[in-house]
Amino acid sequence: MKEYNIAIVGATGAVGTAMLEVLKEYDLPINKLKLIASPRSEGKKIQYNKDTYIVQKVEKGIFEDIDIALFSIGSSNSKKFIPQAVYEGALIIDNSNAYRMDKEVPLIVPEINPEKIKKHNGIIANPNCSTIQMVVAINSLQKAKKIKKIYVSTYQAVSGTGQKAINELKEQSRAYLNKEEVKTEVYPHQIAFNTVPMIDKVNDNGYTEEELKLNRETRKIFDDYEIMVTATAVRVPVFYGHSESVHLELKKPYDMEEIRYLLSSDPNIKLLDEPENNIYPTPLMSEEEDKILVGRLRKDLHSECGLEMWIVGNNIRKGAALNAVQIAEYIIKNNILNGG
Ligand code: NAP
């Protein structure tokens, strides 16, 4: 069997670390693995699969022997280094926002639009974590019932911002409980024992970039530009697991039994919906779970087409690392390194 040379760019970060775990579980046919991070981490040792890897920085020629490079280093760094990696011959799977809306770049959730992977021109984009879990949860409803409008409010974990934010929540919680001064560096406000209703920068229309990502990316992934999406994205003091309160307006009135049937027969989600027994998804449950969790289903009191639901997903794994590795697995299994 052909073996592949894989690079993880951002290997020391929250997503890069999860990628290493997922790669181990997926057992892809890897010949050579390169771990790359910023010059700050050059020379750092990472133990993986009984071997010790030395972290490298990006330099000329580093991607020349690489087949697939999984990038998780933020948009500005992706824009800086991905052109070089493509030029040197690697196929890129990028976790950042840099290329997601580029017409030439497929935006992929393998459970939904894997057929678009082969249309790549050297770069494939991984969607935003809040988009991935939402589209996976509602995919069967979009296919069977068609969605007219999505109103979503997110409750996003600090791990979505990266390792520094995880450390900040820990340190602020310790300081606050010990009645010491609480220092803020990563977020504009204290996140411990608080919520911050702004993620990423705000646009002229009042929406934040994170909210607009939910809009644009959902339409591109479903290839349905009639769907309306309006979002409020909120950071909450949770370490791992994003939650979303979603109100769907379907195109036609629906029967709740059919909705339950569609959701419970989707292999990519787990329906946890027995509120009378306190069974519904919480972010802690997503820590050990790769499926998207769905619960609190109920019909809008005022509309035959309105459906309320609560969605929880593991933002680091399915929201980033796992989705990227699943794309790599699809490329390898279908032998479409150079497109289809
Ligand atoms: P993180 O924990 O802050 O890690 C950032 C990584 O990027 C580190 O490995 C860092 O290396 C590396 N890096 C920084 N500057 C670099 C440079 N000049 N050259 C090479 N490597 C560099 O962040 P993260 O949460 O893993 O997120 C990384 C990316 O994934 C972002 O694009 C983010 O938007 C995306 N993403 C994250 C999530 C999530 O839930 N966390 C979800 C979806 C997408 P050093 O350790 O050496 O600084």
Side-chain angles (χ1 to χ4, degrees):
M1 188 181 185
K2 183 171 163 27
E3 291 193 321
Y4 293 79
N5 293 345
I6 309 267
I8 301 199
V9 191
T12 51
V15 174
T17 305
M19 271 178 180
L20 285 170
E21 278 169 28
V22 178
L23 270 184
K24 212 183 276 181
E25 294 161 21
Y26 269 58
D27 201 20
L28 295 185
I30 299 177
N31 173 41
K32 182 194 270 187
L33 184 64
K34 259 187 200 176
L35 304 187
I36 300 170
S38 81
R40 293 179 291 276
S41 301
E42 191 184 11
K44 195 176 160 187
K45 290 180 182 155
I46 294 184
Q47 207 64 32
Y48 178 70
N49 262 354
K50 294 186 194 146
D51 291 316
T52 304
Y53 290 83
I54 309 288
V55 176
Q56 297 172 257
K57 64 175 186 216
V58 180
E59 51 198 348
K60 195 167 174 285
I62 195 164
F63 298 105
E64 275 173 0
D65 58 352
I66 293 299
D67 297 307
I68 302 175
L70 301 159
F71 270 71
S72 294
I73 57 174
S75 293
S76 55
N77 286 321
S78 277
K79 281 194 186 138
K80 190 168 161 196
F81 297 123
I82 284 178
Q84 173 198 335
V86 172
Y87 177 76
E88 291 179 0
L91 169 57
I92 314 303
I93 302 172
D94 182 36
N95 258 297
S96 82
N97 191 33
Y99 296 95
R100 286 180 190 148
M101 298 317 296
D102 187 323
K103 284 202 171 68
E104 299 297 311
V105 175
L107 182 64
I108 300 295
V109 178
E111 296 87 337
I112 300 177
N113 58 352
E115 72 289 347
K116 297 262 165 65
I117 295 178
K118 63 176 183 292
K119 302 214 164 113
H120 73 79
N121 285 319
I123 305 174
I124 296 165
N126 220 38
N128 184 38
C129 39
S130 354
T131 310
I132 293 179
Q133 67 179 64
M134 185 176 82
V135 294
V136 170
I138 64 178
N139 185 35
S140 61
L141 307 183
Q142 164 67 359
K143 274 195 191 138
K145 306 296 293 179
K146 289 287 176 203
I147 295 164
K148 185 172 171 194
K149 184 157 183 179
I150 303 169
Y151 304 78
V152 51
S153 295
T154 69
Y155 304 68
Q156 297 183 219
V158 295
S159 54
T161 315
Q163 194 55 50
K164 278 191 188 142
I166 297 171
N167 299 344
E168 178 149 307
L169 175 56
K170 279 186 199 160
E171 177 50 28
Q172 286 185 353
S173 303
R174 191 202 59 74
Y176 187 83
L177 291 172
N178 286 302
K179 300 191 168 41
E180 293 171 14
E181 185 199 350
V182 174
K183 294 190 182 123
T184 57
E185 279 176 27
V186 177
Y187 299 116
H189 297 277
Q190 175 181 325
I191 186 64
F193 306 98
N194 204 5
T195 58
V196 179
M198 190 170 133
I199 300 182
D200 212 334
K201 59 180 189 289
V202 74
N203 280 260
D204 290 345
N205 60 12
Y207 282 89
T208 63
E209 266 304 300
E210 188 79 359
E211 291 158 351
L212 295 175
K213 284 177 208 166
L214 275 152
N215 175 307
R216 300 181 197 119
E217 295 179 17
T218 300
R219 292 150 67 101
K220 181 166 175 177
I221 294 162
F222 283 144
D223 196 14
D224 179 349
Y225 292 87
E226 284 181 6
I227 291 193
M228 295 177 269
V229 185
T230 185
T232 301
V234 181
R235 190 70 67 191
V236 297
V238 163
F239 285 109
Y240 297 98
H242 289 353
S243 305
E244 294 175 338
S245 166
V246 171
H247 172 99
L248 297 181
E249 198 181 316
L250 301 178
K251 287 195 172 161
K252 291 189 181 144
Y254 67 88
D255 173 35
M256 189 57 102
E257 279 319 299
E258 189 189 351
I259 298 290
R260 282 187 194 286
Y261 171 75
L262 287 168
L263 293 173
S264 54
S265 35
D266 184 333
N268 306 306
I269 68 177
K270 200 182 248 184
L271 187 59
L272 299 174
D273 193 30
E274 292 173 45
E276 62 286 5
N277 297 321
N278 293 317
I279 294 177
Y280 36 74
T282 70
L284 279 181
M285 293 173 187
S286 73
E287 287 191 19
E288 303 297 324
E289 181 59 71
D290 283 337
K291 290 189 181 185
I292 303 303
L293 307 174
V294 178
R296 297 295 326 277
L297 295 180
R298 60 219 188 270
K299 190 174 267 246
D300 185 329
L301 292 174
H302 305 285
S303 161
E304 286 298 301
C305 299
L307 171 65
E308 303 287 344
M309 63 205 298
W310 177 248
I311 298 169
V312 172
N314 184 318
N315 56 301
I316 298 281
R317 283 181 62 100
K318 184 57 197 164
L322 174 60
N323 199 73
V325 173
Q326 287 169 330
I327 295 171
E329 184 190 40
Y330 187 93
I331 290 163
I332 289 172
K333 279 195 174 152
N334 293 283
N335 196 17
I336 48 174
L337 205 52
N338 300 312

